[in-house]
Amino acid sequence: GEWKARLVPNPHYFKDEQPHSLTEIAGVGIEIWTMTKNILFDNFIVAHSPEVAADFAKKTWEVKNARELVKKAKIDAEKAKNQPKADPLKNFQKQVIENVKKYWIPIV
């Protein structure tokens, strides 16, 4: 027959007549599972006003982000210095492959 969920009595159940009326939030817990290293989350804000959130972002995130971008640019420049310029065989490999495709010889 057709399956129906079993209703279990819950003595603590009540109907919230004002679900929009929240008590003060003292903290936020977030758990994130990722396979990527170096992901950071901070400076959370819960507010009713977009202006308050934007002001908070300007005072916290924008300042920190600017410093992180400068730091990342230095790290990227250092990595670029240490990277080999170009693979000297890359162009040669490309030419060989193009010529094989162009002048292939069937072997019987």
Side-chain angles (χ1 to χ4, degrees):
E2 189 174 316
W3 181 84
K4 276 190 163 184
R6 196 173 112 211
L7 297 178
V8 178
N10 181 354
H12 302 292
Y13 174 81
F14 66 94
K15 184 173 182 175
D16 190 355
E17 299 294 336
Q18 296 183 333
H20 61 278
S21 178
L22 301 173
T23 58
E24 184 176 325
I25 297 172
V28 175
I30 297 175
E31 181 177 348
I32 298 173
W33 181 72
T34 179
M35 300 295 285
T36 306
K37 294 192 288 186
N38 301 324
I39 293 180
L40 303 174
F41 294 90
D42 63 358
N43 298 334
F44 287 93
I45 182 171
V46 178
H48 289 286
S49 166
E51 292 81 19
V52 170
D55 185 51
F56 181 79
K58 188 174 194 141
K59 291 178 182 175
T60 58
W61 180 83
E62 287 182 14
V63 173
K64 186 174 181 179
N65 187 54
R67 288 187 301 219
E68 288 175 349
L69 289 174
V70 169
K71 184 178 178 182
K72 184 179 182 321
K74 288 179 184 176
I75 291 170
D76 289 347
E78 191 63 34
K79 281 183 183 177
K81 263 197 273 182
N82 296 331
Q83 289 290 330
K85 293 299 176 207
D87 183 1
L89 297 178
K90 186 173 186 176
N91 194 32
F92 177 72
Q93 291 169 340
K94 184 178 175 185
Q95 289 175 351
V96 169
I97 291 170
E98 286 174 3
N99 285 326
V100 166
K101 288 179 181 177
K102 192 173 181 180
Y103 302 109
W104 67 277
I105 300 171
I107 300 175
V108 186

